[in-house]
Amino acid sequence: MCGIIGAFIRNPGIIKSEIFLITEAQKSRGMNGFGVALHKDSKIIRERTTTIEKMKKSEIWEKVEVNDIIMFHQRQPTSSPNVEACNHPFLNEDGTIALLHNGIIPDAQRLYRQLSKKHRLESVIKTQWLFFRSPITFTDSEIALHQL
């Protein structure tokens, strides 16, 4: 399963190093995909990668300021491929909600059929383009976002 970190920023100068210390300590929770969402000025900025090296080099860390909120996810894929489109956090269509999820949603196929009629599932679109496979590949965690 995955590792999740969240913080309300009081000292932006240490958040990056602290997150990567925790990430290393919980590396058994997954080192196959990484994502961060930063809530600042009523907007959500997101970065997702498949390697920790890319995540450490992300420009998002330079944008962190006092009173921002940050969420970080390290992934061990359980039900979808290891591609950026399947890495957390997921955003809703208008980018106003970010969600991280840990675990498996047992009824994801049925929920997908329901939710895909009303929502655009990013992981479906990207993995269909990458893999051209059937049945449809998606991240069940993105289903949780669209149930809100």
Side-chain angles (χ1 to χ4, degrees), residues 75 79-81 85-88 90 121 123-124 127 137-144:
R75 182 166 187 254
S79 64
S80 61
C86 292
N87 291 345
H88 306 224
F90 291 103
L121 278 76
S123 63
V124 171
T127 55
T137 300
F138 63 94
T139 299
D140 60 349
S141 297
E142 191 175 9
I143 296 295

Side-chain angles (χ1 to χ4, degrees), residues 4-135:
I4 297 172
I5 303 167
F8 179 76
I9 307 299
R10 291 287 184 217
N11 184 346
I14 66 167
I15 192 65
K16 179 181 176 183
S17 62
E18 292 296 313
I19 283 178
F20 287 109
L21 281 172
I22 295 168
T23 300
E24 181 62 29
Q26 63 183 22
K27 67 182 174 185
S28 65
R29 305 296 286 168
M31 296 295 279
N32 297 67
F34 303 89
V36 62
L38 179 65
H39 183 267
K40 73 182 298 82
D41 304 324
S42 300
K43 293 183 181 160
I44 299 172
I45 303 166
R46 176 184 65 178
E47 177 77 29
R48 300 182 296 178
T49 70
T50 54
T51 68
I52 196 163
E53 292 80 17
K54 286 182 188 175
M55 183 54 66
K56 286 180 179 180
K57 292 177 182 175
S58 171
E59 293 178 8
I60 202 166
W61 304 108
E62 298 165 18
K63 298 174 183 176
V64 178
E65 297 176 337
V66 172
N67 295 329
D68 289 344
I69 299 169
I70 197 165
M71 51 181 13
F72 182 86
H73 188 269
Q74 63 192 84
R75 182 166 187 254
Q76 180 63 45
T78 55
S79 64
S80 61
N82 184 35
V83 295
E84 286 179 15
C86 292
N87 291 345
H88 306 224
F90 291 103
L91 301 178
N92 66 341
E93 289 91 346
D94 65 3
T96 58
I97 301 172
L99 179 117
L100 303 173
H101 171 258
N102 185 21
I104 297 171
I105 297 174
D107 203 12
Q109 288 290 339
R110 181 186 65 78
L111 292 169
Y112 165 75
R113 286 190 299 276
Q114 279 181 331
L115 294 168
S116 64
K117 294 173 186 172
K118 298 185 285 186
H119 297 280
R120 181 187 144 279
L121 278 76
E122 184 179 11
S123 63
V124 171
I125 294 164
K126 298 285 175 66
T127 55
Q128 281 182 324
W129 182 80
L130 288 168
F131 297 103
F132 301 103
R133 62 196 222 185
S134 187

